[in-house]
Amino acid sequence: MAADILAEITGMLVEIVGDEYLLADEVTMKTTFNEDLALESIEFVALAELLHHRYGADVDLMGFLSEKDMDGILAMSVGELVTHIGRITHASLACTSAGSAAAPGSDG
């Protein structure tokens, strides 16, 4: 699951910054947004929008960043975001499964 999320985030980053600046095989779980990718704030906003479209409102990049101090934001790795998305999507899947199991025959 993490590898799939990493691949999707990599694709989003390539879309945002352009593949001439970013080779898809260069992004790993240890890649940092600030030092390695030099992402600017407008690019973070674009990434947040793509994440929202792909994963829904629960994956709130700006909310996730707001929980960190400046040093944490500057040091944040792609792996931290992958882990965050994995937790959110796993929890969403668990809630969906539990809801379906609790209400057999329902459409939700």
Side-chain angles (χ1 to χ4, degrees):
M1 183 163 160
D4 294 337
I5 296 171
L6 177 61
E8 289 180 347
I9 291 173
T10 300
M12 291 175 191
L13 291 167
V14 168
E15 183 178 330
I16 292 165
V17 301
D19 57 1
E20 66 271 13
Y21 298 106
L22 176 71
L23 299 174
D25 61 350
E26 292 178 350
V27 178
T28 68
M29 296 288 276
K30 293 182 180 181
T31 301
T32 61
F33 287 100
N34 183 51
E35 189 173 324
D36 296 328
L37 300 176
L39 233 59
E40 297 185 15
S41 58
I42 191 72
E43 294 165 329
F44 263 112
V45 171
L47 179 59
E49 186 175 316
L50 291 174
L51 290 169
H52 177 82
H53 287 299
R54 169 61 181 94
Y55 296 104
D58 289 341
V59 175
D60 176 14
L61 178 59
M62 295 307 151
F64 180 60
L65 292 175
S66 72
E67 298 172 0
K68 299 180 172 293
D69 62 13
M70 185 55 73
D71 289 337
I73 292 170
L74 293 175
M76 189 174 81
S77 69
V78 172
E80 288 177 68
L81 181 58
V82 168
T83 301
H84 170 69
I85 292 169
R87 273 196 308 263
I88 297 296
T89 57
H90 181 74
S92 295
L93 290 173
C95 288
T96 302
S97 295
S100 295
S106 71
D107 291 337

